[in-house]
Amino acid sequence: MPGSLSKDAITIILVTAILTWVMPLIISTYTLTVLIVYGMLGLSLGLIWGFGGILCFGQAAFFGLGAYTYAIAAINIGESTVPMILAVLVPAVFAALLGAMMFYGRLTDVYLGVITLVVTLILFKFINSTAGPQYVIGDARLGGFNGIPGFQTLNIPGRPDDYIWGDSYFYVCAILLALVFFLVSALLRSSFGRVAVGIRENETRISLMGYDVRARKTVLFAAGAAIAGLAGALFANWSEIVTPSLFSLGQSAEIIIWCIVGGLGTRFGPVLGAAGLAYLKFLLGQQTMIDNTLITGLILVLFVLFLPRGIVPALASLWKVSFGRRPLGRIPQHRRMRNRERING
Amino acid sequence: MAEVVLETHGLTMRFGGVVASNNVDFKLRARELRCLIGPNGAGKSTFFKCVTGLQTPTEGEVIMRGVETTHWMPHQIASLGVGIKTQTPNVMDSLSVFENIWLAARRFHAPRNANRKTQEIIERLALGSIARADLGQLAHGERQRVELGLVAVGDPWLVLLDEPAAGMSAEDVERMTEIIHELNKTAAIIIVEHDMQFIRSIAEMVTVFHQGKVLMEDHVDRVMSDPTVRNVYLGKKA
């Protein structure tokens, strides 16, 4: 990655400031809040898939786990600070255990996809079947397919009666997303992140260099789950109810589509893909002529066919072609063609 | 005599009914350069994989500098200071030459030192002009050179190379030979190779594999003139 971390920080602050100022003029903050939450969820998969090469079909599992952890803890504790922390920790620990099992078991990518998918299904089925009164954790009833409503929402730390909601909740979410984005940038610039990208490129080579690939993948997987968990907790606070549909396969598939459309291997791509597609879904949800999922599917197919690297990488190369530095003036057309042939060949 | 850095006792590898490596006893001393030759299916590569931990032998043991490493994982063996280059190029294609070598350097050095070591290797291997290019766009010879660079940057005391000269031009091979000789000043080297031309130019001691066993072990000149070895290579019954 070019540039430095402090440059990243300045860019992130500027972009966040401009977006949080401009966007509410166009879209209501209530809708924007959930777009931010989805952006964070997209970023969580973008990190482990785009930079670590771990294709997880069950990112929704960690999202839902974060949301449920928050709801259950908030009912039992009645103040939101500890539940927020738990909502990050529980999915991270769960992912670390699951990841250790998969990576130390030397499972290949396909089986990894199957296992993460199945884990999501198991959680979905399990939570769906907890309607009876015997399913309680402390004071919280799991509530089956009805979910858990009526838990304490986010408050100013230490003051349970001062709720953060409406516009201020939007700003909290925006700042948290910026913070997570910065942490992801820092992680990717660190040696750990650079080795993770190496693992994505060639696992055998990295292990022949003397790095323990299994441990590193497990840690990265857990980091992705922690971000998804935080997004889940923020989602729970926004919707004020958690339901099993958070764990659904549709949700998992959507996250993958966000990443593909936005652009894998970039930090901003998955955030943009998530927010963009979620907003589109929101708009399409207001009409009844065309089915929503049909459009999402169509977009995915079109992107895979015509823009397989996603929006952000495509824009980046367009930028390079039009404004990038050219050391020796304009490259003659025939030479550029030759270069392209070499890349393809 | 220098100390023994690599030893195998009765190394055997079976794949179902096929014995790919049969009771191999092998010894390598510090700063020795050894070539492993033999016809296809002689068990050279299997032996190589067993030593590097890419495969676990069915029987026997591998000892490196007095430590038994038989059931170790490749990353544990590499962490001892063993540099490994596999038969097919194993590099990170969408990363730059610098990043590839840096990642190897970082394993044994703090970030600042890793930057310095990487620069050193890039200069030593004359990769300066392509240091920022993505590896996927480079020619085969250059990629091989980079892979040798990321083996060298870890300052290994034992280097295992599987067919380093495969598919390279004469000029590239010459450069590769130079690099190997330089590495050999500090490290013991095992080269698995087919190319007799290359072996003649570089080897001293040669171990000949045939049907999973060590057929003979001697100086390159004597091996080349040995009638049994000639028969093995020409496919006649010895």
Side-chain angles (χ1 to χ4, degrees):
Chain A
M1 248 184 289
S4 66
L5 190 58
S6 47
K7 245 186 198 166
D8 273 359
I10 294 167
T11 315
I12 292 169
I13 291 170
L14 279 178
V15 170
T16 311
I18 293 170
L19 286 180
T20 48
W21 176 52
V22 172
M23 290 313 281
L25 304 175
I26 310 166
I27 307 170
S28 77
T29 51
Y30 182 73
T31 313
L32 278 176
T33 307
V34 76
L35 297 185
I36 289 173
V37 170
Y38 283 149
M40 193 185 288
L41 182 55
L43 182 60
S44 77
L45 185 66
L47 171 65
I48 65 166
W49 186 20
F51 293 98
I54 306 167
L55 174 50
C56 173
F57 273 98
Q59 204 64 11
F62 308 128
F63 182 64
L65 209 56
Y68 266 84
T69 304
Y70 176 81
I72 292 164
I75 287 177
N76 283 305
I77 295 169
E79 202 269 349
S80 69
T81 313
V82 177
M84 281 307 281
I85 294 166
L86 282 177
V88 175
L89 286 182
V90 170
V93 171
F94 180 75
L97 293 174
L98 183 69
M101 190 190 86
M102 296 188 301
F103 300 128
Y104 281 78
R106 293 208 222 174
L107 292 185
T108 51
D109 293 347
V110 180
Y111 294 102
L112 202 130
V114 171
I115 288 190
T116 50
L117 193 77
V118 168
V119 165
T120 316
L121 266 179
I122 291 173
L123 281 172
F124 179 63
K125 290 277 176 203
F126 170 72
I127 296 289
N128 248 325
S129 65
T130 55
Q134 71 273 33
Y135 294 104
V136 281
I137 298 177
D139 299 326
R141 266 188 64 179
L142 291 181
F145 50 81
N146 289 322
I148 309 174
F151 44 83
Q152 167 89 11
T153 55
L154 197 67
N155 56 255
I156 295 169
R159 287 152 63 186
D161 295 325
D162 290 337
Y163 294 110
I164 302 173
W165 62 284
D167 281 357
S168 35
Y169 186 57
F170 161 70
Y171 289 116
V172 168
C173 287
I175 289 166
L176 280 174
L177 177 61
L179 191 68
V180 168
F181 199 92
F182 174 75
L183 288 176
V184 167
S185 306
L187 181 81
L188 290 173
R189 285 189 185 283
S190 72
S191 301
F192 179 86
R194 287 164 80 170
V195 175
V197 173
I199 292 173
R200 177 192 75 190
E201 287 301 310
N202 193 331
E203 239 180 275
T204 315
R205 176 33 81 196
I206 290 286
S207 68
L208 288 177
M209 284 174 181
Y211 293 104
D212 191 347
V213 170
R214 305 164 303 175
R216 283 166 184 272
K217 276 179 132 179
T218 306
V219 171
L220 188 71
F221 193 58
I227 298 172
L230 177 63
L234 293 177
F235 184 86
N237 274 307
W238 173 80
S239 63
E240 298 182 20
I241 182 170
V242 293
T243 60
S245 67
L246 291 172
F247 294 105
S248 69
L249 288 183
Q251 179 82 62
S252 269
E254 245 176 279
I255 308 172
I256 291 173
I257 295 174
W258 295 341
C259 287
I260 293 173
V261 170
L264 277 175
T266 64
R267 290 161 294 161
F268 188 58
V271 181
L272 184 74
L277 286 182
Y279 187 60
L280 190 71
K281 192 177 169 185
F282 167 77
L283 290 180
L284 290 171
Q286 293 169 343
Q287 50 89 44
T288 49
M289 212 165 69
I290 320 167
D291 185 50
N292 218 317
T293 45
L294 209 66
I295 299 287
T296 318
L298 186 69
I299 289 175
L300 176 66
V301 171
L302 288 177
F303 266 84
V304 170
L305 285 178
F306 300 111
L307 214 59
R309 287 167 62 218
I311 294 177
V312 171
L315 286 180
S317 42
L318 193 70
W319 176 267
K320 247 185 219 161
V321 169
S322 10
F323 303 105
R325 275 186 301 164
R326 284 204 201 84
L328 295 167
R330 215 179 164 76
I331 303 169
Q333 188 64 33
H334 65 274
R335 243 191 80 195
R336 210 187 297 168
M337 296 289 282
R338 235 184 27 224
N339 282 346
R340 193 171 309 150
E341 268 166 26
R342 230 184 83 196
I343 295 165
N344 291 338
Chain B
M1 277 280 227
E3 55 156 348
V4 175
V5 291
L6 172 68
E7 240 179 306
T8 69
H9 297 297
L11 196 74
T12 303
M13 183 74 193
R14 288 191 200 94
F15 297 104
V18 181
V19 186
S21 192
N22 191 356
N23 206 18
V24 176
D25 293 321
F26 183 87
K27 250 185 201 164
L28 186 77
R29 295 182 183 278
R31 287 182 298 286
E32 193 180 337
L33 191 142
R34 180 78 63 91
C35 289
L36 308 185
I37 63 168
N40 280 330
K44 311 176 300 273
S45 284
T46 304
F47 175 78
F48 180 90
K49 281 178 184 155
C50 286
V51 170
T52 52
L54 289 165
Q55 275 166 359
T56 310
T58 324
E59 275 166 44
E61 54 184 4
V62 182
I63 297 165
M64 290 184 181
R65 279 187 164 175
V67 184
E68 202 199 318
T69 62
T70 317
H71 296 284
W72 286 25
M73 306 272 297
H75 74 260
Q76 293 171 303
I77 289 171
S79 300
L80 286 176
V82 179
I84 303 161
K85 186 196 162 309
T86 53
Q87 196 170 346
T88 48
N90 252 318
V91 285
M92 289 152 284
D93 275 338
S94 74
L95 302 182
S96 68
V97 171
F98 182 93
E99 188 73 4
N100 266 275
I101 297 176
W102 186 87
L103 285 172
R106 178 68 185 90
R107 177 63 188 85
F108 299 103
H109 302 282
R112 208 172 287 262
N113 275 340
N115 286 342
R116 193 175 48 78
K117 286 293 289 186
T118 307
Q119 278 307 340
E120 270 176 35
I121 287 287
I122 284 175
E123 275 161 38
R124 239 173 76 188
L125 302 193
L127 294 167
S129 57
I130 50 170
R132 295 286 159 191
D134 283 355
L135 214 55
Q137 300 180 16
L138 300 183
H140 180 68
E142 290 168 327
R143 286 156 56 94
Q144 294 276 53
R145 198 147 29 110
V146 172
E147 196 170 6
L148 211 56
L150 51 87
V151 167
V153 78
D155 294 324
W157 49 266
L158 173 62
V159 175
L160 304 161
L161 307 171
D162 199 349
E163 302 201 8
M168 284 171 61
S169 67
E171 194 187 326
D172 282 333
V173 169
E174 207 170 290
R175 206 179 245 152
M176 172 81 71
T177 312
E178 260 171 50
I179 298 166
I180 290 174
H181 276 307
E182 185 155 339
L183 271 174
N184 199 208
K185 286 176 187 159
T186 51
I189 300 181
I190 296 180
I191 300 173
V192 177
E193 192 50 78
H194 258 316
D195 186 342
M196 292 313 253
Q197 197 76 34
F198 178 59
I199 291 183
R200 252 183 247 273
S201 73
I202 201 167
E204 290 160 33
M205 284 291 281
V206 172
T207 304
V208 186
F209 278 73
H210 182 50
Q211 295 179 341
K213 288 182 185 164
V214 175
L215 185 70
M216 71 178 294
E217 200 167 82
D218 211 329
H219 192 270
V220 61
D221 298 334
R222 276 191 288 279
V223 167
M224 293 295 181
S225 56
D226 188 90
T228 328
V229 172
R230 283 170 172 273
N231 282 337
V232 163
Y233 259 92
L234 292 171
K236 290 177 192 159
K237 283 264 177 252

